[in-house]
Amino acid sequence: LAKTTQPISMDSYEGQEVNITCSHNNIATNDYITWYQQFPSQGPRFIIQGYKTKVTNEVASLFIPADRKSSTLSLPRVSLSDTAVYYCLVGDLGAGNMLTFGGGTRLMVKP
Amino acid sequence: EAGVTQFPSHSVIEKGQTVTLRCDPISGHDNLYWYRRVMGKEIKFLLHFVKESKQDESGMPNNRFLAERTGGTYSTLKVQPAELEDSGVYFCASSQEGGGRADYGYTFGSGTRLTVV
């Protein structure tokens, strides 16, 4: 599985857009990029997954450049409840494959 | 649908004692996984069941850990005897066989916080 690098922490204010970038220089052809969110005292929760270009759902957008060596999770207009740890995972994530977590990015949203 | 349920949510035991953690996956999910995060470390894979069979147990730290999934429904993870370094949060997750959803997402439980003193 490709190794990922992301900032340890980020601060933001309510209503701002937050962009968290993840580097994955060794991503393989079959690898997908998946982001998980984890609140305190809870397990990680799937946010979004993509292979290339842009993916958008009701929670976030995921931007992936053509070379796929990085990806950016974009959270529009964050609120205090978006304070969490965000994990970028890269791998062939069909059901049945284990997940490899890195350190994640601890996002703190301030009022 | 009901989520992944883990029991207990917290457990404090003395070194040398035995603890059994339980995980109830989402009904119909053939894949069941155990992960853990020890203090200051990243979340690490422990093992993977497909129905009642162990598909991959490469992450199990040593033979003090025993996981079972009799009947392919709920799973238990027993630690015997517990050591101080076993303290951490143990997560269970489940997923459908073959995915079937575009996100191929796992669903995690809230975890069991184990403290060995």
Side-chain angles (χ1 to χ4, degrees):
Chain A
L1 296 173
K3 178 179 171 58
T4 60
T5 303
Q6 49 185 125
I8 295 174
S9 64
M10 294 180 68
D11 288 344
S12 182
Y13 290 92
E14 283 190 292
Q16 289 187 330
E17 178 183 77
V18 171
N19 296 308
I20 305 174
T21 297
C22 178
S23 297
H24 27 80
N25 292 318
N26 297 321
I27 190 169
T29 302
N30 292 335
D31 288 345
Y32 279 73
I33 300 157
T34 310
W35 286 79
Y36 278 77
Q37 174 191 57
Q38 186 179 24
F39 298 115
S41 300
Q42 293 187 25
R45 181 176 75 104
F46 171 88
I47 302 177
I48 197 166
Q49 183 181 76
Y51 184 80
K52 62 181 179 181
T53 62
K54 177 184 175 182
V55 179
T56 297
N57 61 23
E58 66 278 7
V59 177
S61 293
L62 179 60
F63 298 92
I64 305 168
D67 66 5
R68 305 201 324 122
K69 293 183 182 299
S70 67
S71 59
T72 299
L73 175 72
S74 181
L75 305 172
R77 299 180 297 282
V78 294
S79 64
L80 296 178
S81 62
D82 292 317
T83 294
V85 179
Y86 293 82
Y87 295 97
C88 166
L89 287 77
V90 173
D92 184 359
L93 297 180
N97 292 317
M98 68 177 183
L99 302 181
T100 299
F101 288 86
T105 297
R106 186 173 299 276
L107 173 66
M108 174 67 72
V109 180
K110 303 175 182 178
Chain B
E1 63 180 1
V4 176
T5 305
Q6 292 189 244
F7 182 83
S9 57
H10 295 83
S11 180
V12 180
I13 62 172
E14 293 183 350
K15 176 182 174 181
Q17 288 186 324
T18 298
V19 63
T20 300
L21 314 180
R22 171 169 171 148
C23 170
D24 286 76
I26 291 175
S27 178
H29 280 194
D30 289 335
N31 293 286
L32 186 149
Y33 312 80
W34 284 96
Y35 289 79
R36 76 169 181 176
R37 179 173 57 209
V38 296
M39 185 66 71
K41 302 290 187 180
E42 299 166 354
I43 299 173
K44 294 291 188 182
F45 167 82
L46 295 179
L47 90 159
H48 168 209
F49 284 98
V50 176
K51 297 183 180 178
E52 68 275 11
S53 300
K54 292 178 184 176
Q55 185 77 10
D56 181 352
E57 52 184 330
S58 61
M60 295 287 266
N62 52 60
N63 59 11
R64 295 186 293 103
F65 289 75
L66 175 64
E68 295 180 323
R69 193 184 182 194
T70 306
T73 54
Y74 70 91
S75 174
T76 58
L77 179 64
K78 180 189 290 186
V79 185
Q80 179 184 30
E83 298 290 344
L84 298 178
E85 64 264 26
D86 301 331
S87 295
V89 182
Y90 290 75
F91 293 104
C92 176
S94 71
S95 68
Q96 290 177 312
E97 177 65 26
R101 290 157 44 189
D103 57 8
Y104 293 111
Y106 286 45
T107 301
F108 280 84
S110 295
T112 294
R113 181 173 295 278
L114 175 65
T115 303
V116 183
V117 297

